[in-house]
Amino acid sequence: MERNLVEFYQTFQFRSPSLVLCWQTHDVGKLSSKVIQSLNEKLGGQKIAEIKPAGFFPLGGIAFKDNLIQIPESEFWACEKDDLLIFKGGEPEYEWYKFLNAILDFAQHYCQAKELYTINGNPSLAAHTAPRRILAVYNQPEFQKTLQDYGLEDMTWEGPPAMSSYLLWLAQRRGIPGVSLWPGIPFYLTAVEDAAATKRTLSFLDRRFNLGLDFEELDRKIENQNEEIAQLREEDAEINGCINRLESGLSLHEEEQVKLARGVYEILEK
Amino acid sequence: MGIKLFKEPELEKPDLICGWPGIGNIGLITVDTLKGALKAEEFGEIEPCDFFYPRKVSIKDGLLESLEFPSNKFYYKKLEKRDLIFFIGEEQPTEGERVYAAGEKAYHMASLVSDVAEKFGCRRVYTSGACVSLVHHTMKPRVISVVSSEKLIEEVKGHPNTVLISEVGGGKGEGVITGLNGLLLAVAKRRGLESICLMGEIPDWFSRAPLPYPKASKSVLEVFADIFGIEIDFTVLDKMLVQIEDIVEGVYRGFPPEIKERYDERKLIAHPEPGGITEEDAKRIKEHIDEFFKKGGKEGGEESS
């Protein structure tokens, strides 16, 4: 590995950790950021290293959002007690191959990581009242068998690859078993936090790694969110009709989708 | 990461013929057609990860089956007159927003291709591309050549329908061959290999269209047939040519009458000098082309005369 690609912040000690990676570039339903935040907060994660941005991100200036400067982050966090290595960051704009190999080099050679889990929210046409499903892509059939009792559903897809698929493919070439998790997010919750999808994802990780996570706070959030949407359905017959149709497995026209997404966004962001 | 050879054929001082995408895909179609006509056999590739982003993933029943990159493959064919190696790149490695290869990656790609040429004892490298010129679309495109040394000048002039770049459209034999079709020639020359670029003429106005121009590829193929003493079956290429001719004619019919009249003057002169169509006309035609294809044109050209 090119050591100068990575900046080390503190020493760390793993046994044989699993790498959990969440891209924050298209943070559908704020799933990636919320999952990482929960893991780091609840498991006492420490920032241990970072891939330097030069060469991977446009640095001709600095973006800002909500009055805050946005710096490209590509951070490794350690939850040593639970033997989890966490990567949070945005997808690189350039030199994907070099960047993804830098992640795998760090995980494999400095941390002896044994497995890879990537997490991305996946917009779905299901209603928010339906249980969240997680579609999964594995890079080894043996690993697929290992996870067959976790309620994940197999994905079938052919088309442009996501960054996670590229990483999974590179991990496969190194013999590292990996899975990409694609929790479904109702399309009208993609711009806000989908607490139910966050819980579904964290529940999987909790069971897989025996983390002993407490979901009380998330349950409260889900309840609040459901109540607010229920209130909106009572007040707006058109939106109620849209959600009813989704609950019956029917589709919506584009204008209906936009209206529903806008209505839910306005009520939840308020 | 680099060159992967599946086998090492025994070749006698082969020539290397390379093709990448470019204006009208003239070079790529030429080399791909020649490779297909000779039933050349694949023997290696340049590993794509360092140069390209993946373009397709196949996932079935939860398993990642494959990730597909643009291919960069080597083929060979032993001929009576001369052994040949082909290299066909489906994309040019780019940096930033450029369309054609430039920078470190392009040089690296050209170096890897040259490494294979040296390994198999190649004596000469050919590339092919487009020469944007004032040719009328109904005329047979000429093959414009640029060579690496004086001694090759007479040789290329001896091929049918072939001229040197200095003989085209009032040019002075100066210009730039952009992308790998040009860069490889320089890298090969630095390694002591002879190098020749054979470019098919494409009408200036059509060079902005996002379409192939097989008519020019056919001209270049006829030259390759002459060089290597081979016969090429043009059936497939001719079918494509007819389809494209229909589109070219369609665009041409939409020219404003006064521009069409001046453009048609090109037919009256064997090889027109710059002039006839004014800069203002050219601008209007280009706007017409962009509108026709509802898409902007390409960046620059491989070679303009």
Side-chain angles (χ1 to χ4, degrees), chain B residues 41-226:
Chain B
E41 200 176 319
E42 185 182 327
F43 73 98
E45 66 174 356
I46 291 178
E47 292 196 274
C49 294
D50 268 338
F51 298 100
F52 303 105
Y53 297 127
R55 59 185 182 188
K56 186 179 165 190
V57 65
S58 295
I59 298 162
K60 197 177 171 199
D61 299 330
L63 276 175
L64 193 155
E65 292 193 322
S66 64
L67 200 65
E68 189 181 300
F69 292 81
S71 73
N72 306 273
K73 292 184 174 172
F74 291 98
Y75 305 82
Y76 76 96
K77 179 70 185 177
K78 290 175 83 68
L79 292 178
E80 203 173 298
K81 195 169 171 184
R82 179 156 299 283
D83 292 348
L84 297 178
I85 292 177
F86 294 92
F87 177 81
I88 297 179
E90 281 187 342
E91 263 185 40
Q92 299 210 21
T94 58
E95 283 168 19
E97 298 297 310
R98 292 182 63 87
V99 174
Y100 296 110
E104 200 181 322
K105 280 184 193 294
Y107 193 80
H108 187 201
M109 172 69 83
S111 298
L112 290 174
V113 174
S114 300
D115 288 347
V116 172
E118 278 194 317
K119 178 179 171 60
F120 287 92
C122 285
R123 54 155 208 153
R124 179 178 290 183
V125 173
Y126 289 97
T127 65
S128 176
C131 180
V132 179
S133 84
L134 301 174
V135 66
H136 193 278
H137 69 275
T138 55
M139 295 168 71
K140 182 182 175 74
R142 292 173 298 171
V143 175
I144 317 300
S145 59
V146 174
V147 296
S148 62
S149 65
E150 292 280 338
K151 71 172 191 166
L152 293 171
I153 288 178
E154 285 310 309
E155 183 186 322
V156 295
K157 281 169 77 175
H159 297 306
N161 192 32
T162 306
V163 294
L164 293 165
I165 189 75
S166 57
E167 299 170 52
V168 179
K172 299 186 181 78
E174 292 174 10
V176 176
I177 303 170
T178 52
L180 273 163
N181 290 319
L183 185 58
L184 179 66
L185 302 174
V187 174
K189 184 180 176 180
R190 281 171 63 96
R191 297 193 186 196
L193 300 173
E194 293 175 349
S195 50
I196 297 175
C197 184
L198 299 174
M199 295 173 283
E201 276 185 306
I202 182 170
D204 46 358
W205 62 272
F206 195 71
S207 66
R208 291 170 65 88
L211 287 171
Y213 196 63
K215 196 170 186 171
S217 298
K218 188 171 180 178
S219 288
V220 181
L221 278 163
E222 286 166 352
V223 174
F224 275 126
D226 184 63

Side-chain angles (χ1 to χ4, degrees), chain A residues 102-242:
Chain A
I103 293 176
L104 293 175
D105 281 344
F106 181 83
Q108 192 173 23
H109 300 136
Y110 288 95
C111 308
Q112 285 74 49
K114 65 174 188 301
E115 289 170 355
L116 164 69
Y117 298 79
T118 74
I119 294 165
N120 298 76
N122 185 27
S124 102
L125 291 173
H128 70 286
T129 47
R132 301 295 184 270
R133 300 162 62 195
I134 300 182
L135 294 178
V137 184
Y138 307 85
N139 65 3
Q140 290 179 4
E142 300 77 22
F143 196 46
Q144 186 178 28
K145 275 188 198 138
T146 306
L147 296 181
Q148 67 184 359
D149 295 329
Y150 284 83
L152 307 175
E153 296 177 43
D154 294 340
M155 180 189 279
T156 292
W157 159 257
E158 202 169 80
M163 194 66 73
S164 290
S165 299
Y166 196 2
L167 183 67
L168 209 60
W169 182 78
L170 290 170
Q172 183 186 51
R173 286 171 34 132
R174 292 169 180 242
I176 301 173
V179 61
S180 277
L181 303 173
W182 295 87
I185 315 272
F187 69 89
Y188 50 94
L189 293 178
T190 53
V192 295
E193 179 187 350
D194 181 11
T198 305
K199 184 186 174 187
R200 174 73 180 90
T201 309
L202 284 170
S203 299
F204 164 79
L205 297 173
D206 183 50
R207 187 175 155 208
R208 177 71 185 148
F209 303 120
N210 299 313
L211 302 176
L213 297 177
D214 174 6
F215 292 105
E216 198 182 316
E217 194 187 324
L218 261 180
D219 284 334
R220 230 181 3 254
K221 262 191 190 171
I222 295 167
E223 200 178 326
N224 287 343
Q225 198 170 59
N226 287 343
E227 275 172 17
E228 286 186 85
I229 298 175
Q231 179 75 22
L232 178 66
R233 292 176 79 169
E234 275 180 29
E235 290 165 6
D236 191 324
E238 208 177 332
I239 281 184
N240 186 41
C242 288

Side-chain angles (χ1 to χ4, degrees), chain B residues 136-138 205-206 244-254 260:
Chain B
H136 193 278
H137 69 275
T138 55
W205 62 272
F206 195 71
I244 298 295
E245 292 272 279
D246 280 351
I247 297 171
V248 175
E249 275 296 323
V251 179
Y252 166 72
R253 279 196 296 273
K260 193 187 278 185

